[in-house]
Amino acid sequence: MSANSRMSLAVHILTWLAYDRRGTDKETATSQRIATSVNTNPVVIRRSLGRLKDHGLVTIDHGKGGGWSLARDAASITLLDVYCASSDDPVFGLHASDPDAECYVGYGIQPVLTRIYDRATEALRQSLAQDTIADVLRETVAVYAAGDHPPPQPRVSS
Amino acid sequence: MSANSRMSLAVHILTWLAYDRRGTDKETATSQRIATSVNTNPVVIRRSLGRLKDHGLVTIDHGKGGGWSLARDAASITLLDVYCASSDDPVFGLHASDPDAECYVGYGIQPVLTRIYDRATEALRQSLAQDTIADVLRETVAVYAAGDHPPPQPRVSS
DNA sequence: TTGTGCTGTATCTGTTCTTGTTACAGTTGT
DNA sequence: ACAACTGTAACAAGAACAGATACAGCACAA
């Protein structure tokens, strides 16, 4: 919902791939299997994976038996990378309709807002840059290990 | 547009009121006059002002000849205050549909995301807290003074 | 070369959110 | 009582989004 659930979706996918890579049986990583974990439609996953591929975060092996995998080590993919790949829209938007240019405030406020928004957005980005997909995977597994999980099975997906 | 143009609207309104307060002729600050500067409908302004009033940033004098004014000094209203009054929605949203709890990643990822999002959002908020409406007004007037403004009149609005 | 399995993308639907607008009752000073 | 403005409901139009179906395209295997 709200603003940016695409970010959560992308992090989920990448974390899933990072976990999947550790396995040895190597069932192919298809959009269908990922969709089961995220609990949504495979097309939604493919749309997100397409963006991640365009930003060089994942690769795809086409053809029968192919599948998705991380293009780089999970420890080198920061959440800022994911954020950049997930959203084109700025956090803050300017006025829906252009202000009255004949007014002191209406004339001058937009560049001021832009400066303030840019700085705040940069602070947000710096914070996101501090975590990697490897961190998320480690913490996520820890949450699983600590919790009283409803199901007893320790496999990635169904 | 995009995410949060309500923030820009609220900053514009408060800056306008901060400027208006400096005047001596004291034409009443009505939603109609503010709407002219923002170039929108008075009801849109009233909706925003209602939220700002609920957060204690502005006050209203009802009745004939009444009008809006800042509840506090412009230098004491930070953009974080405005942000809090403008938006209930978080910057980042979690998954649209709950992930599969039978999956390692699906089970454990949401609290991890929440922690990361909270930290990033806090960085954004700290950045916004560094500017006040008084700062915005000063810089906005400077932009006006520096520019080659289309109209020659130096009055607030029409 | 044919078959298989998966991707990439177009398209449609239902939902939600937002802006802009009209309308009108409520409030308050003159 | 009147004038002036607010607060809010209601509505239309538009954008954005998730979810879903459908199908052509691609690459490997046999």
Side-chain angles (χ1 to χ4, degrees):
Chain A
M1 288 288 171
S2 73
N4 232 6
S5 71
R6 288 205 300 271
M7 173 79 177
S8 294
L9 175 62
V11 174
H12 191 143
I13 292 173
L14 292 170
T15 306
W16 193 95
L17 288 175
Y19 179 83
D20 191 61
R21 175 143 81 170
R22 308 192 316 183
T24 53
D25 46 351
K26 294 312 294 171
E27 201 176 343
T28 55
T30 66
S31 59
Q32 174 63 252
R33 287 183 64 224
I34 304 175
T36 300
S37 170
V38 183
N39 189 24
T40 185
N41 192 285
V43 174
V44 175
I45 303 296
R46 280 181 238 158
R47 280 202 276 247
S48 181
L49 279 166
R51 298 183 65 106
L52 296 173
K53 189 181 68 173
D54 292 343
H55 283 76
L57 301 185
V58 297
T59 56
I60 171 72
D61 274 341
H62 267 290
K64 185 177 175 181
W68 296 93
S69 52
L70 294 182
R72 310 193 234 138
D73 191 81
S76 79
I77 301 176
T78 71
L79 291 208
L80 175 56
D81 296 327
V82 185
Y83 177 73
C84 292
S86 299
S87 171
D88 303 321
D89 301 332
V91 179
F92 298 104
L94 293 179
H95 302 61
S97 48
D98 278 344
D100 177 14
E102 302 192 12
C103 159
Y104 261 139
V105 178
Y107 179 88
I109 200 170
Q110 294 219 351
V112 178
L113 286 176
T114 299
R115 181 191 65 75
I116 290 170
Y117 291 165
D118 284 350
R119 194 183 62 195
T121 302
E122 187 55 33
L124 180 119
R125 293 164 62 96
Q126 290 306 315
S127 176
L128 289 178
Q130 292 172 23
D131 273 297
T132 69
I133 293 297
D135 296 326
V136 174
L137 175 59
R138 179 169 30 78
E139 293 181 36
T140 296
V141 171
V143 168
Y144 185 90
D148 47 342
H149 4 93
Q153 82 234 47
R155 189 59 193 103
V156 144
S157 184
S158 63
Chain B
M1 290 287 171
S2 73
N4 232 4
S5 71
R6 288 205 300 271
M7 173 79 177
S8 293
L9 175 61
V11 174
H12 191 141
I13 292 173
L14 292 170
T15 306
W16 193 94
L17 288 175
Y19 180 83
D20 190 62
R21 176 144 82 168
R22 308 191 317 182
T24 53
D25 45 353
K26 296 311 293 172
E27 200 176 343
T28 58
T30 67
S31 60
Q32 175 62 60
R33 286 182 64 222
I34 303 175
T36 300
S37 170
V38 183
N39 190 24
T40 185
N41 192 285
V43 173
V44 175
I45 303 296
R46 279 181 239 158
R47 280 203 275 246
S48 180
L49 279 166
R51 298 184 65 109
L52 296 173
K53 188 181 67 173
D54 292 342
H55 283 77
L57 302 184
V58 298
T59 56
I60 171 70
D61 273 341
H62 266 292
K64 184 178 175 181
W68 297 92
S69 53
L70 294 183
R72 311 192 234 136
D73 191 81
S76 79
I77 300 177
T78 71
L79 292 209
L80 175 56
D81 296 328
V82 185
Y83 177 73
C84 292
S86 298
S87 171
D88 302 321
D89 301 332
V91 178
F92 298 105
L94 293 180
H95 301 61
S97 48
D98 279 343
D100 177 13
E102 303 192 12
C103 158
Y104 261 140
V105 178
Y107 180 89
I109 200 170
Q110 294 219 353
V112 178
L113 286 176
T114 299
R115 181 192 64 75
I116 291 169
Y117 292 165
D118 284 350
R119 194 184 61 195
T121 303
E122 187 55 32
L124 180 119
R125 294 163 63 95
Q126 289 306 316
S127 176
L128 289 177
Q130 292 173 22
D131 274 297
T132 69
I133 293 296
D135 296 326
V136 174
L137 175 59
R138 181 169 27 78
E139 293 180 36
T140 296
V141 171
V143 168
Y144 185 91
D148 47 342
H149 3 94
Q153 80 234 50
R155 189 59 192 102
V156 143
S157 182
S158 63

